[in-house]
Short mmCIF file of all heavy atoms in Angstrom, two decimals:
data_model
loop_
_atom_site.label_atom_id
_atom_site.label_comp_id
_atom_site.label_asym_id
_atom_site.label_seq_id
_atom_site.Cartn_x
_atom_site.Cartn_y
_atom_site.Cartn_z
N SER A 50 12.24 17.39 4.22
CA SER A 50 11.97 16.28 5.08
C SER A 50 13.15 16.01 6.05
O SER A 50 14.27 15.94 5.54
CB SER A 50 11.70 14.98 4.24
OG SER A 50 11.74 13.84 5.06
N TYR A 54 16.69 9.36 14.08
CA TYR A 54 16.90 7.95 14.46
C TYR A 54 17.75 7.85 15.73
O TYR A 54 18.62 8.71 15.90
CB TYR A 54 17.58 7.17 13.29
CG TYR A 54 16.72 7.03 12.07
CD1 TYR A 54 16.62 8.07 11.15
CD2 TYR A 54 16.05 5.88 11.84
CE1 TYR A 54 15.83 7.96 10.05
CE2 TYR A 54 15.24 5.73 10.70
CZ TYR A 54 15.12 6.78 9.84
OH TYR A 54 14.33 6.66 8.74
N GLN A 56 20.39 5.30 17.63
CA GLN A 56 21.26 4.11 17.41
C GLN A 56 21.93 3.69 18.75
O GLN A 56 22.59 4.49 19.36
CB GLN A 56 22.33 4.37 16.34
CG GLN A 56 23.14 3.16 16.02
CD GLN A 56 24.14 3.35 14.86
OE1 GLN A 56 24.65 4.50 14.71
NE2 GLN A 56 24.35 2.35 14.07
N GLU A 67 9.54 11.79 11.86
CA GLU A 67 9.85 12.49 10.62
C GLU A 67 9.01 13.74 10.54
O GLU A 67 7.82 13.69 10.84
CB GLU A 67 9.61 11.63 9.39
CG GLU A 67 9.95 12.38 8.05
CD GLU A 67 9.26 11.77 6.84
OE1 GLU A 67 8.43 10.83 6.98
OE2 GLU A 67 9.56 12.25 5.76
N ASN A 75 5.45 11.03 10.35
CA ASN A 75 5.54 9.71 10.87
C ASN A 75 6.12 9.69 12.25
O ASN A 75 6.94 10.59 12.61
CB ASN A 75 6.42 8.77 9.97
CG ASN A 75 5.76 8.44 8.67
OD1 ASN A 75 4.78 7.73 8.59
ND2 ASN A 75 6.35 8.93 7.58
N PRO A 119 9.14 8.13 -0.80
CA PRO A 119 10.41 8.07 -0.08
C PRO A 119 11.55 8.12 -1.06
O PRO A 119 11.58 7.59 -2.12
CB PRO A 119 10.37 6.76 0.66
CG PRO A 119 9.27 5.96 0.04
CD PRO A 119 8.31 6.91 -0.61
N GLY A 120 12.58 8.90 -0.63
CA GLY A 120 13.72 9.09 -1.45
C GLY A 120 15.01 8.78 -0.72
O GLY A 120 14.99 8.20 0.38
N GLU A 121 16.09 9.19 -1.31
CA GLU A 121 17.43 8.94 -0.72
C GLU A 121 17.57 9.79 0.55
O GLU A 121 17.28 10.99 0.49
CB GLU A 121 18.55 9.25 -1.69
CG GLU A 121 19.89 8.79 -1.27
CD GLU A 121 20.95 8.99 -2.36
OE1 GLU A 121 20.59 9.63 -3.37
OE2 GLU A 121 22.08 8.52 -2.20
N ASN B 43 11.21 1.36 -1.39
CA ASN B 43 12.56 1.28 -1.84
C ASN B 43 13.47 0.64 -0.81
O ASN B 43 12.99 0.36 0.35
CB ASN B 43 13.09 2.66 -2.24
CG ASN B 43 13.16 3.65 -1.06
OD1 ASN B 43 13.51 3.31 0.03
ND2 ASN B 43 12.87 4.89 -1.36
N GLN B 49 28.66 2.78 7.37
CA GLN B 49 28.91 3.58 8.59
C GLN B 49 30.28 3.23 9.11
O GLN B 49 30.58 2.09 9.37
CB GLN B 49 27.84 3.25 9.70
CG GLN B 49 28.02 4.14 10.90
CD GLN B 49 26.91 3.95 11.91
OE1 GLN B 49 26.37 2.87 12.10
NE2 GLN B 49 26.53 5.04 12.61
N LYS B 53 30.70 7.42 13.37
CA LYS B 53 30.25 8.38 12.38
C LYS B 53 28.79 8.20 11.98
O LYS B 53 28.14 7.24 12.40
CB LYS B 53 31.11 8.22 11.09
CG LYS B 53 32.60 8.38 11.35
CD LYS B 53 32.95 9.86 11.66
CE LYS B 53 34.44 10.04 11.68
NZ LYS B 53 34.79 11.49 11.97
N SER B 57 25.10 7.20 2.36
CA SER B 57 24.28 6.52 1.36
C SER B 57 25.14 5.97 0.27
O SER B 57 25.96 6.66 -0.31
CB SER B 57 23.18 7.43 0.82
OG SER B 57 22.43 6.75 -0.15
N SER B 104 12.10 1.10 3.10
CA SER B 104 11.04 2.07 3.31
C SER B 104 9.72 1.37 2.97
O SER B 104 9.52 0.85 1.86
CB SER B 104 11.22 3.27 2.36
OG SER B 104 10.17 4.17 2.51
N ASN B 106 6.55 2.93 3.81
CA ASN B 106 5.44 3.83 3.63
C ASN B 106 5.87 5.06 2.85
O ASN B 106 7.03 5.16 2.39
CB ASN B 106 4.85 4.19 5.01
CG ASN B 106 5.81 5.07 5.84
OD1 ASN B 106 6.84 5.54 5.38
ND2 ASN B 106 5.41 5.32 7.07
N ASN B 109 9.60 9.12 4.82
CA ASN B 109 11.01 8.73 4.85
C ASN B 109 11.32 8.03 6.16
O ASN B 109 12.26 8.38 6.88
CB ASN B 109 11.93 9.96 4.65
CG ASN B 109 11.86 10.47 3.24
OD1 ASN B 109 12.08 9.70 2.30
ND2 ASN B 109 11.51 11.68 3.09
N LEU B 111 12.56 4.65 7.71
CA LEU B 111 13.29 3.45 7.30
C LEU B 111 13.32 2.41 8.46
O LEU B 111 13.41 2.76 9.59
CB LEU B 111 14.73 3.80 6.94
CG LEU B 111 14.93 4.71 5.75
CD1 LEU B 111 16.41 4.99 5.50
CD2 LEU B 111 14.27 4.14 4.51
#
Side-chain angles (χ1 to χ4, degrees):
Chain A
S50 167
Y54 292 82
Q56 186 175 32
E67 179 201 6
N75 288 293
E121 189 174 10
Chain B
N43 63 40
Q49 185 175 33
K53 301 289 188 179
S57 177
S104 177
N106 68 7
N109 289 304
L111 297 180

